[in-house]
Amino acid sequence: MLKNCGLLALLTLPCWAQTNTTAVPELKPYNQVITAKARSQSGLFKVHQVGEKYYYEIPKGQLDRDFLMVVTVARGKPGTGDGGGEGIGRRVVRWHRQDRRVLLQELDYSLWADPKLPIAQAVAEANNPVILGAYLVEAESDQQAPVIDVTRLFNSEVIEFSPRYMLGAKAFDPTRSFVERISAYPENIEAESTLTLTNPEARPSYAYGEMGRGSATVRMHYSMVKLPDQPMKPRLADSRVGYFTTSQTDYGTNDHFVKEQQFLARWRLDKKDPGAAVSEPIKPIVFYIDPATPAAWVPYVKKGVEQWQSAFEGAGFKNAILALNPPKDGSWSIEDARYSTIRWVASGTPNAYGPHISDPRTGEILEADIHMFHNILDLQRRWYFTQVAHLDPRAQHLPMPDDLMGQLVEFVVAHEVGHSLGFQHNMRGSSTYSLAQVRDPVWVKKMGHTPSIMDYSRFNYVAQPGDRMDVADLIPRVGPYDHFAVHWGYAPIPGASTPQAEKSTLDQWARQQDSSPWLRFSNLDSGGADPGDQTEAVGDQDPVAATRLGLKNLRRTAGLLFRATERVGEDYSELRHFRNALFGQWGTECNHVVALVGGVHKQEKHFGQSGPVYTVIPKKRQQEAVDFLLKEVMGAQDWLLEPGLVRLLQMERSVDQVAFVQRRLLTNLCSSRRLNRMAEQGAYPVSELLNRVRHGVFSELVKGQSVSLQRRMLQRGLADQFIDLSYSSGDSRNHGLRQMRLLERELVAARKRIKDEDTLAHLDQLADDLRRELDPRANGRRGSAQVRAWTYTETPVENCWIDSSSQWLLPVEK
């Protein structure tokens, strides 16, 4: 029960507040806090270390200024991530003094209005800063700079900067956590701490990157960098050119609705000589190469960066982008957010990625760190071998020579640098060249086999031995689209003082795409319906012809497998590794053909450009794709089941590998999403497609032939897909049920013409399953859980080099 504190108390504070209030201690003299034993540094703030405590002395001029706080894992635990450099958080923060406290606040610039407008007050009221930390002012300097103890910002768990969720940890252990160091620089402050997190629960399985039962100790790095005093003039985004963007909701427009503006993510480049057509920038883009990079690859890493120099020259900048070795004076740190780096990560993940950090006010890229995972080398050699080993003698014996592997490293670096310059993937690129151009060595020498290094178009697997392609041109490089995109985003527009004033010029530049298709970009919002948006494709302007040529080359490569991987005294693991990669490449190329069915071609357009955005693919081309799949993909694939290899690598289930890919292709071809799209288009009737597929897959029924094991698996897959469709909604359900009825009758009729016992058992079981599914009196329908388990979304992954050799897991439309 509360005490009766009297009338005066009621007029001031409630009793519980009086009882529990703790008095704020008086300010201490400066020399009692920052004692003679303090080790002090000067920089953006003064940093003092007194024993195990760290103090910030924040100049009054740095209060209420905007900083970017970047938190990364500098050293990780094996199995709990991809090594050092894993990003945890990037936040705009501000140090704000409020009486005896200094608050570390997080700011959000996603809401905005011109400060001169009345609505700016409403925007401010809707956007109260989050307090990440509150620190008592313990002393003041002679210049009234507050001195605060920031130790707990780094040795305790601040949830916004915690690695808990990355690790899958349950608890934080402060007894095993401490500050390692804090270093002050003129524009930034760098801090490192050791944090220990625990997970007391024993889990039978956990997601990749998460810790199991026990403890994980990680070294955290905190980089706080001052944002530019003068924000860069932003450039408005355009869906026709593929840049990453920063979003800002503007409440101050006259458009009578809340308008979201998108600013390009791009570096600030200003000419030393503004009047020159081509000038060196005042501050170039510099990437420092991680000292941990294997020495053999350093020259190729530099070449990958410098591939972009000619593109920037077209935008008016000479030597705009450089690759340098870090200085050796001890002032440089790979985690320092002032420096952009290409970091070599000790990880078995076959991947690389190129993130960047942008000023949320303008989109200005402030820093970028490209991560090259060591096992990217394995992914590149597998892709190169399976796609073009028949054309390059250097790839026909493993290990591949360093000069070839170096070129593959250069290719990856150039792609990731593109991301760090602000560029999205451009899967449109490879579909804008004709097949004749992709096979023309003169064209490819000048234009590349894809116009963009940002495409997922690896090596020219369409080129035939008789095309006499220079092996140097089998590998993509910075191409025509990339030059166009750099110019569009980086070239100065004299006289345009605001982003809106640049729009007319940018529109005219974008319209070059009308006459030069290879300058086009796709933002993938066609949802997988455009066959020109496909990943891992070459020559996909004509996927049927390109895949036919690609499969010829895969057969040639299959003949090189044994010789390439043979090592006297070694086991057959390399042979198995590359044979699996061959299976993956076969499935990937065949899947490109499926996209033609129910497909559309898309060109990003704005008002003022003639013609439609979407064009349905003609029925004849869709039919050709279906016929190709049924005749050349769904039949026997003896070249993949060469007896000599099968006997070396496995005793059983070799046929499953082929049938698995074929069933996946069928699932994709007959997905409910594709059928619903076809019904809306009206170009190719759904019933006609399904009848054609059923007759092709069950062609043995009419002829009274026995059915091989591989074909039995394929036929089971199609029956399961029809059952799956019967569980969907709309017309797809109706078509699924009808196909089940038609197939059940054909199975019964065919039984009289077939004598083979294995085939009869197969047909009887299929017929029984279909009857059970069609019987309304059944006690519950079985469904096709296995087929459902195989399907997954086609949403593109941001990381650039996801291992597409994942055995035969092809994307499927739901």
Side-chain angles (χ1 to χ4, degrees):
M1 180 178 296
L2 296 178
K3 297 179 181 178
N4 183 356
C5 296
L7 180 60
L8 180 61
L10 293 175
L11 295 175
T12 54
L13 291 174
C15 303
W16 61 266
Q18 291 188 31
T19 303
N20 296 298
T21 298
T22 301
V24 176
E26 295 292 327
L27 279 174
K28 295 179 182 179
Y30 183 87
N31 59 9
Q32 288 187 16
V33 178
I34 308 303
T35 66
K37 295 182 178 180
R39 291 189 291 175
S40 302
Q41 307 170 56
S42 294
L44 183 66
F45 300 170
K46 284 187 176 179
V47 176
H48 309 282
Q49 181 183 0
V50 182
E52 293 190 349
K53 289 187 176 183
Y54 288 83
Y55 295 89
Y56 281 176
E57 181 179 324
I58 306 176
K60 291 181 69 176
Q62 300 299 342
L63 292 170
D64 297 314
R65 301 289 293 270
D66 289 359
F67 300 89
L68 191 66
M69 180 77 87
V70 181
V71 182
T72 57
V73 177
R75 300 180 187 175
K77 176 182 176 181
T80 59
D82 291 321
E86 188 83 8
I88 296 296
R90 302 171 185 175
R91 298 172 188 272
V92 178
V93 299
R94 178 180 294 172
W95 297 90
H96 170 71
R97 182 164 185 176
Q98 184 171 307
D99 300 325
R100 283 292 308 283
R101 290 181 175 83
V102 171
L103 307 180
L104 177 60
Q105 299 175 325
E106 179 185 356
L107 306 179
D108 187 342
Y109 280 99
S110 63
L111 306 182
W112 188 84
D114 188 328
K116 300 174 184 176
L117 298 176
I119 198 172
Q121 178 63 32
V123 170
E125 292 170 354
N127 196 9
N128 195 47
V130 174
I131 298 175
L132 301 175
Y135 305 92
L136 186 68
V137 178
E138 302 201 14
E140 288 182 346
S141 70
D142 293 341
Q143 292 76 36
Q144 294 183 307
V147 177
I148 59 175
D149 180 355
V150 294
T151 312
R152 61 187 170 87
L153 175 60
F154 305 111
N155 72 354
S156 64
E157 187 177 27
V158 177
I159 201 66
E160 287 82 1
F161 300 141
S162 173
R164 175 192 293 261
Y165 299 105
M166 183 195 81
L167 297 173
K170 296 296 184 182
F172 172 78
D173 187 349
T175 66
R176 292 184 281 170
S177 302
F178 46 87
V179 181
E180 296 279 356
R181 66 173 178 86
I182 301 180
S183 304
Y185 299 95
E187 297 292 323
N188 58 302
I189 294 178
E190 307 298 315
E192 283 199 352
S193 63
T194 291
L195 302 183
T196 300
L197 296 99
T198 62
N199 179 27
E201 299 178 2
R203 289 179 288 174
S205 63
Y206 43 91
Y208 170 76
E210 292 187 356
M211 61 187 289
R213 184 175 183 270
S215 303
T217 297
V218 294
R219 177 78 69 90
M220 302 298 297
H221 189 96
Y222 309 81
S223 188
M224 190 183 73
V225 185
K226 186 170 69 173
L227 288 176
D229 292 333
Q230 182 62 41
M232 180 185 74
K233 183 182 75 175
R235 180 162 289 183
L236 292 170
D238 187 313
S239 61
R240 293 169 291 184
V241 189
Y243 277 79
F244 294 114
T245 59
T246 296
S247 299
Q248 192 175 80
T249 302
D250 189 349
Y251 283 84
T253 69
N254 294 319
D255 292 308
H256 301 157
F257 62 93
V258 176
K259 187 172 185 177
E260 183 174 319
Q261 297 192 110
Q262 301 279 341
F263 299 141
L264 301 189
R266 60 182 187 139
W267 295 81
R268 184 188 300 218
L269 289 178
D270 297 312
K271 292 183 176 181
K272 286 183 179 178
D273 182 356
V278 180
S279 167
E280 289 192 342
I282 295 172
K283 182 181 180 181
I285 304 164
V286 178
F287 283 93
Y288 290 95
I289 300 173
D290 185 354
T293 304
W297 313 136
V298 170
Y300 297 99
V301 171
K302 289 185 176 181
K303 288 180 181 179
V305 175
E306 293 166 355
Q307 272 198 38
W308 289 93
Q309 286 187 347
S310 62
F312 278 98
E313 287 179 10
F317 296 97
K318 182 180 180 181
N319 296 325
I321 182 167
L322 305 171
L324 302 176
N325 292 320
K328 297 182 179 180
D329 59 8
S331 64
W332 186 88
S333 169
I334 199 168
E335 282 84 25
D336 188 337
R338 291 180 301 167
Y339 303 117
S340 296
T341 63
I342 300 176
R343 183 167 188 158
W344 205 269
V345 182
S347 172
T349 303
N351 198 12
Y353 63 94
H356 58 263
I357 298 168
S358 295
D359 185 337
R361 304 170 299 179
T362 63
E364 178 184 357
I365 297 176
L366 305 172
E367 184 257 359
D369 287 302
I370 293 168
H371 290 228
M372 296 285 291
F373 297 73
H374 189 74
N375 217 27
I376 191 67
L377 299 171
D378 179 49
L379 181 57
Q380 292 304 304
R381 70 185 186 129
R382 277 186 282 149
W383 272 337
Y384 195 80
F385 178 84
T386 56
Q387 294 174 14
V388 295
H390 61 287
L391 297 175
D392 188 348
R394 297 175 299 172
Q396 295 174 9
H397 299 276
L398 299 175
M400 296 179 187
D402 279 359
D403 66 325
L404 173 55
M405 290 303 303
Q407 291 170 30
L408 301 184
V409 169
E410 177 187 345
F411 159 52
V412 178
V413 170
H415 177 98
E416 301 305 339
V417 168
H419 284 309
S420 295
L421 296 174
F423 300 123
Q424 297 183 41
H425 291 126
N426 181 15
M427 307 309 181
R428 168 72 56 200
S430 58
S431 67
T432 60
Y433 288 168
S434 71
L435 213 58
Q437 290 168 332
V438 173
R439 297 183 62 186
D440 181 352
V442 177
W443 173 274
V444 173
K445 177 68 70 176
K446 179 182 178 182
M447 303 284 281
H449 71 263
T450 177
S452 178
I453 194 78
M454 304 314 298
D455 195 354
Y456 268 7
S457 184
R458 315 299 179 176
F459 311 115
N460 191 349
Y461 64 73
V462 166
Q464 301 294 295
D467 295 339
R468 299 183 179 180
M469 196 71 63
D470 185 343
V471 293
D473 297 329
L474 297 172
I475 304 172
R477 58 182 180 271
V478 173
Y481 167 81
D482 307 312
H483 284 249
F484 161 77
V486 168
H487 179 273
W488 191 92
Y490 282 91
I493 302 177
S497 59
T498 66
Q500 288 71 23
E502 294 183 335
K503 289 190 70 173
S504 61
T505 299
L506 295 173
D507 178 58
Q508 290 303 313
W509 288 350
R511 293 190 188 205
Q512 297 175 61
Q513 297 172 338
D514 291 341
S515 56
S516 300
W518 47 84
L519 303 183
R520 295 175 187 169
F521 165 76
S522 168
N523 61 10
L524 296 180
D525 71 355
S526 58
D530 190 338
D533 285 350
Q534 299 185 88
T535 63
E536 313 300 336
V538 176
D540 49 323
Q541 189 177 107
D542 188 346
V544 172
T547 300
R548 183 174 283 116
L549 292 170
L551 296 186
K552 284 184 179 180
N553 287 335
L554 283 178
R555 287 179 170 86
R556 296 181 177 112
T557 301
L560 302 172
L561 274 172
F562 192 88
R563 183 177 64 181
T565 59
E566 182 181 11
R567 298 285 184 280
V568 176
E570 298 291 332
D571 62 21
Y572 295 112
S573 56
E574 278 282 82
L575 178 62
R576 179 177 291 103
H577 193 47
F578 279 84
R579 181 171 175 266
N580 287 347
L582 194 73
F583 267 101
Q585 183 66 26
W586 172 61
T588 296
E589 292 184 28
C590 293
N591 202 53
H592 295 153
V593 178
V594 177
L596 282 168
V597 182
V600 296
H601 287 308
K602 181 190 178 189
Q603 180 188 346
E604 293 285 344
K605 293 183 179 181
H606 286 190
F607 279 110
Q609 291 176 272
S610 61
V613 172
Y614 296 97
T615 303
V616 176
I617 293 174
K619 177 182 178 181
K620 183 178 179 181
R621 290 198 67 201
Q622 296 189 46
Q623 289 175 316
E624 289 172 350
V626 175
D627 288 344
F628 173 84
L629 291 167
L630 292 174
K631 294 176 181 177
E632 302 191 37
V633 179
M634 299 304 170
Q637 304 292 327
D638 294 338
W639 65 280
L640 286 169
L641 300 172
E642 199 279 317
L645 289 180
V646 170
R647 290 174 187 141
L648 291 175
L649 299 179
Q650 59 196 113
M651 279 191 60
E652 57 186 17
R653 301 189 66 111
S654 57
V655 175
D656 286 4
Q657 295 178 302
V658 174
F660 186 89
V661 176
Q662 292 174 329
R663 290 182 60 158
R664 288 286 297 165
L665 292 168
L666 276 181
T667 301
N668 197 359
L669 180 63
C670 301
S671 68
S672 59
R673 183 178 176 188
R674 189 179 309 281
L675 300 185
N676 290 338
R677 189 166 63 234
M678 292 174 66
E680 287 191 53
Q681 294 170 355
Y684 187 7
V686 171
S687 58
E688 191 173 329
L689 165 68
L690 295 179
N691 288 338
R692 178 71 187 93
V693 171
R694 190 183 81 254
H695 292 153
V697 172
F698 285 90
S699 60
E700 293 92 342
L701 301 189
V702 176
K703 301 173 184 177
Q705 297 173 335
S706 61
V707 184
S708 68
L709 174 60
Q710 178 185 327
R711 291 279 290 181
R712 294 199 297 269
M713 293 179 176
L714 180 65
Q715 291 174 1
R716 163 56 67 184
L718 184 58
D720 283 344
Q721 181 60 18
F722 290 159
I723 294 170
D724 244 21
L725 289 174
S726 74
Y727 284 91
S728 61
S729 58
D731 277 2
S732 293
R733 169 182 166 81
N734 300 336
H735 285 294
L737 290 168
R738 174 164 172 75
Q739 291 299 318
M740 289 165 64
R741 294 186 184 101
L742 292 173
L743 179 56
E744 191 270 337
R745 294 171 195 164
E746 291 168 356
L747 292 170
V748 172
R751 204 181 188 291
K752 302 173 184 177
R753 298 188 293 271
I754 292 175
K755 306 298 182 185
D756 177 66
E757 289 293 329
D758 289 337
T759 300
L760 287 173
H762 163 66
L763 300 183
D764 287 345
Q765 186 60 55
L766 283 184
D768 287 346
D769 290 346
L770 291 170
R771 278 193 292 269
R772 184 164 49 252
E773 290 287 339
L774 290 167
D775 186 354
R777 298 167 297 177
N779 292 325
R781 299 174 63 196
R782 173 177 57 84
S784 186
Q786 184 180 21
V787 174
R788 285 198 188 91
W790 287 347
T791 61
Y792 64 90
T793 181
E794 288 185 310
T795 303
V797 180
E798 277 305 312
N799 288 357
C800 305
W801 300 98
I802 295 298
D803 184 1
S804 75
S805 70
S806 52
Q807 272 70 293
W808 326 292
L809 288 179
L810 307 176
V812 170
E813 293 197 69
K814 288 186 176 178

